[in-house]
Amino acid sequence: MKALVTGAAGFVGSTLSRTLLRQGHSVLALDNLSNYYDRPLKRQNVDSYSGLPGCTFIEADLNMVDLDDLLSGGIDVVFHLAGQPGIRGSWGQEFTTYTRANVDATQRLLEACMRYGKLRRFVYASSSSVYGQAETYPTSETTLPRPFSPYGVTKLAGEHLTGLYRANYGVPTVAFRFFTVYGPAQRPDMAFTRFLRAAVSGTPISIYGSGEQVRDFTFVDDIVTALILSAQSNGVLPPVMNLSGGSSVSVNAVLDTIKRISDNELLVDYTSPVKGDVTRTGGDSSLALSELGWAPETPLSEGLRRHLEWVLATQ
Ligand code: NAD
Ligand code: UGA
């Protein structure tokens, strides 16, 4: 396939781009290298695949670049992973950064894909945060989304836009709701990268609230497998599907595993809960299983070991 990957310098986008290239696909990798976290980290992510045959990397902003021109190069699949992530920072003045990256850019890309009219699949990175404090667990796609953070509102708006362009203009969209993704190249603001780096360096970490909040952590390679399966499938797919790791675990339980596998103590400071942080996530991924034959394959202990190896290799 000839794929456009947006957000290709980020955590999930760089892992996807590298995998696609290793499988022999061509990738037009686009990212504006936003300053949400260290740009050198994003450069390293791009360096990990940009020398592979079939890759073109473009530093550009989705809200400004000529998208008609990009697509006219013969793109058949768009993986739209660009966005402003992070639940806790989405309050206050930052909200416009979120609407611009998650709503405006998504709408602009969908317009261009509608005009182009030749896509086989448009894959959108949605989020478990659209569910908020869900009423049922494991949560299925039929549950009414009720975001609990401004970030979740913007991801749900982006997801609704994909549904609109699908229903009105036949853009072949599918939105995947990722549940807290971890693994090598995870963003520096996310829990596991922070906890593992702290375990290795002996520095303290803050746990927001009691640490009894539960997440359905999902290993990044499992996410990438599902995205590629959806691009390769010929049939009509449901508009929205969950991708969850299959084991809902508390943050405190993760800390115990990290102590064990790193053979280090953790200096933990329990602080106040943060606004927008939900008590629990837990996804029902049976729709992805029936539609794509996908199920998560990486147990948390193995995924954490691989994440730790990356932390040790990049300290
Ligand atoms: P990330 O920040 O590492 O990657 C996102 C990339 O998008 C960044 O490199 C950034 O520079 C780029 N970007 C932002 N705005 C852009 C724009 N206007 N034009 C071009 N590039 C732009 O984040 P991630 O963790 O890899 O997340 C990828 C996607 O998956 C995001 O859309 C996020 O909302 C979604 N998601 C992530 C998780 C998770 O646990 N990591 C969970 C659910 C959903
Ligand atoms: C993650 C991503 O950051 C979001 O972009 C994504 O949309 C979301 O998953 C999702 O699944 O939809 P989050 O679950 O907050 O959000 O992921 P982490 O940053 O890994 O945090 C996990 C838990 O650890 C949270 O309860 C958080 O409060 C806690 N945490 C995190 C701490 O206690 N201390 C920290 O330093 C970091």
Side-chain angles (χ1 to χ4, degrees):
M1 74 181 91
K2 197 161 179 190
L4 168 64
V5 177
T6 75
F11 162 40
V12 183
S14 63
T15 310
L16 171 67
S17 299
R18 196 170 51 248
T19 307
L20 285 168
L21 288 161
R22 283 185 180 155
Q23 292 179 356
H25 304 291
S26 336
V27 175
L28 180 55
L30 179 144
D31 202 294
N32 70 351
L33 303 180
S34 81
N35 63 3
Y36 177 58
Y37 57 90
D38 239 21
R39 289 167 64 112
L41 280 179
K42 296 190 179 183
R43 287 263 173 227
Q44 276 169 30
N45 289 341
V46 175
D47 288 347
S48 76
Y49 63 78
S50 58
L52 294 171
C55 180
T56 307
F57 177 77
I58 303 176
E59 182 177 342
D61 191 316
L62 278 178
N63 281 311
M64 294 196 289
V65 68
D66 183 342
L67 290 167
D68 296 321
D69 188 44
L70 282 187
L71 292 167
S72 69
I75 298 297
D76 35 45
V77 176
V78 170
F79 295 97
H80 179 37
L81 302 178
Q84 175 56 50
I87 288 160
R88 299 173 282 280
S90 61
W91 301 97
Q93 286 188 344
E94 284 307 312
F95 186 61
T96 50
T97 308
Y98 283 75
T99 52
R100 213 135 157 76
N102 298 345
V103 185
D104 298 356
T106 300
Q107 186 269 353
R108 193 166 182 268
L109 182 58
L110 284 162
E111 281 283 320
C113 292
M114 176 264 285
R115 286 192 296 272
Y116 176 60
K118 292 182 208 149
L119 283 188
R120 221 169 62 206
R121 196 72 75 202
F122 181 109
V123 183
Y124 173 71
S126 187
S127 162
S128 72
S129 62
V130 304
Y131 290 121
Q133 307 277 31
E135 271 162 16
T136 52
Y137 296 92
T139 310
S140 76
E141 297 83 353
T142 54
T143 304
L144 183 69
R146 285 185 315 157
F148 193 59
S149 64
Y151 164 75
V153 169
T154 64
K155 291 306 287 185
L156 183 59
E159 187 187 292
H160 278 314
L161 283 165
T162 63
L164 291 181
Y165 281 82
R166 173 180 162 132
N168 286 279
Y169 294 107
V171 180
T173 66
V174 57
F176 287 110
R177 293 175 177 164
F178 306 170
F179 284 66
T180 313
V181 190
Y182 74 100
Q186 193 196 45
R187 304 189 325 256
D189 61 305
M190 291 187 70
F192 287 11
T193 292
R194 283 187 174 173
F195 300 168
L196 288 164
R197 288 212 185 282
V200 168
S201 62
T203 48
I205 51 170
S206 295
I207 298 300
Y208 308 133
S210 66
E212 286 306 305
Q213 62 267 45
V214 165
R215 292 288 178 276
D216 198 344
F217 296 104
T218 313
F219 191 65
V220 63
D221 288 358
D222 288 333
I223 295 280
V224 163
T225 299
L227 304 184
I228 295 176
L229 279 173
S230 76
Q232 289 173 330
S233 111
N234 291 319
V236 176
L237 292 175
V240 176
M241 284 187 265
N242 287 339
L243 295 178
S244 57
S247 55
S248 287
V249 179
S250 75
V251 168
N252 284 330
V254 169
L255 296 181
D256 288 339
T257 308
I258 289 180
K259 280 184 219 163
R260 202 179 62 246
I261 64 167
S262 71
D263 208 13
N264 276 324
E265 275 310 304
L266 273 168
L267 306 168
V268 182
D269 181 20
Y270 285 89
T271 61
S272 311
V274 283
K275 300 289 180 200
D277 218 16
V278 296
T279 318
R280 178 177 175 194
T281 68
D284 174 353
S285 290
S286 51
L287 191 58
L289 179 62
S290 61
E291 293 290 334
L292 298 172
W294 180 88
E297 287 185 347
T298 314
L300 185 63
S301 54
E302 187 196 327
L304 265 171
R305 268 195 198 90
R306 287 168 64 185
H307 198 149
L308 174 61
E309 277 166 22
W310 170 77
V311 162
L312 289 169
T314 55
Q315 49 180 332

